Amino acid sequence: MDAQLIAFTGVAVGMVALPGADFTVVVRNALASRTAGLATALGVAGGLLVHTALAVAGLAAVLVTLPVLFRTVQLLGGAYVLYLGISALYALRRRSGQSEEGTADDGAGRPAPREFGRALRQGFLTNALNPKAPVLFLSLLPQFVPHGQPPLPRTLLLAAVVVVLALIWFPAVALLVDRLGRWLRRPRTARVVEGGSGVALTGLGLALVTGPLLR
């Protein structure tokens, strides 16, 4: 039994399931439709695949050791998450205004369905532009490579574990939100969830854009 692999899997489960921008975007898009939620989940997994591939190739080390490049990625990621948050709040305000005027968008107060490619892109960019991921993978993966074992095959295995967990967790979240959709899409509940996700994404984006260099 590979005790280190089991330990890493436990750590990776917590890392993937930890609520953040990825989780928030998946929930928000899953409220629009099951397809949008699943597409976003696949996009997040694709972003993790990029980070793990960079860590395996050693490129993450270059990113971490070049402050200017790292800060650029940090600003781009923060700006994109901030854009998603502001967009969510703007859409919520617009729908609230329409409801007050008696012109609800679809008769159920639900967010307009998003096209598959757009949702996939949102999930991918939200994760791929996360500046914390290169630091996390660069510091985490080597700790679970047994001494004397070739690092490349082991690192590839660990990276695959993270991606597989993401492919399980985020689609499960999207399906759960869709399953609870009848309740979550009630006008009042939908406004609360949409507003909460908008505030959370805006806060995360601001923290990345205005925060210190993450090292």
Side-chain angles (χ1 to χ4, degrees), residues 2 26 28 48 55 82 103 113 116 120 142 162 198 210 215:
D2 193 329
V26 170
R28 177 173 178 261
L48 279 172
L82 183 60
T103 57
F116 182 91
L120 183 71
V162 175
T210 63
R215 292 295 300 273

Side-chain angles (χ1 to χ4, degrees), residues 113-129:
R114 293 173 176 82
E115 188 262 339
F116 182 91
R118 180 185 179 192
L120 183 71
R121 183 172 63 252
Q122 285 185 351
F124 177 79
L125 290 177
T126 299
N127 186 275
L129 292 176

Side-chain angles (χ1 to χ4, degrees), residues 3-191:
Q4 282 194 323
L5 181 59
I6 294 174
F8 174 80
T9 301
V11 173
V13 167
M15 179 179 67
V16 170
L18 185 67
D22 297 332
F23 180 85
T24 305
V25 172
V26 170
V27 170
R28 177 173 178 261
N29 285 355
L31 277 174
S33 71
R34 179 189 302 178
T35 299
L38 290 175
T40 308
L42 291 176
V44 170
L48 279 172
L49 183 61
V50 170
H51 287 302
T52 54
L54 289 176
V56 169
L59 295 179
V62 177
L63 181 64
V64 172
T65 55
L66 292 178
V68 174
L69 181 58
F70 191 91
R71 181 59 177 167
T72 300
V73 174
Q74 186 174 343
L75 289 174
L76 287 174
Y80 185 72
V81 173
L82 183 60
Y83 162 75
L84 293 179
I86 293 175
S87 296
L89 294 175
Y90 175 76
L92 177 63
R93 180 180 179 183
R94 184 175 57 186
R95 281 196 298 276
S96 298
Q98 289 175 343
S99 298
E100 291 172 0
E101 295 170 5
T103 57
D105 51 359
D106 62 359
R110 292 179 295 182
R114 293 173 176 82
E115 188 262 339
F116 182 91
R118 180 185 179 192
L120 183 71
R121 183 172 63 252
Q122 285 185 351
F124 177 79
L125 290 177
T126 299
N127 186 275
L129 292 176
N130 180 1
K132 295 181 181 180
V135 179
L136 182 62
F137 283 111
L138 192 63
S139 60
L140 183 64
L141 296 184
Q143 297 182 34
F144 293 89
V145 177
H147 180 68
Q149 188 173 115
L152 182 57
R154 182 67 172 193
T155 307
L156 284 172
L157 175 62
L158 298 178
V161 168
V162 175
V163 175
V164 169
L165 288 174
L167 285 172
I168 295 173
W169 170 248
F170 290 107
V173 170
L175 291 174
L176 178 61
V177 171
D178 181 72
R179 183 74 174 177
L180 299 175
R182 186 173 182 180
W183 176 72
L184 291 173
R185 293 184 180 115
R186 292 175 180 175
R188 180 174 297 180
T189 307
R191 285 195 294 269

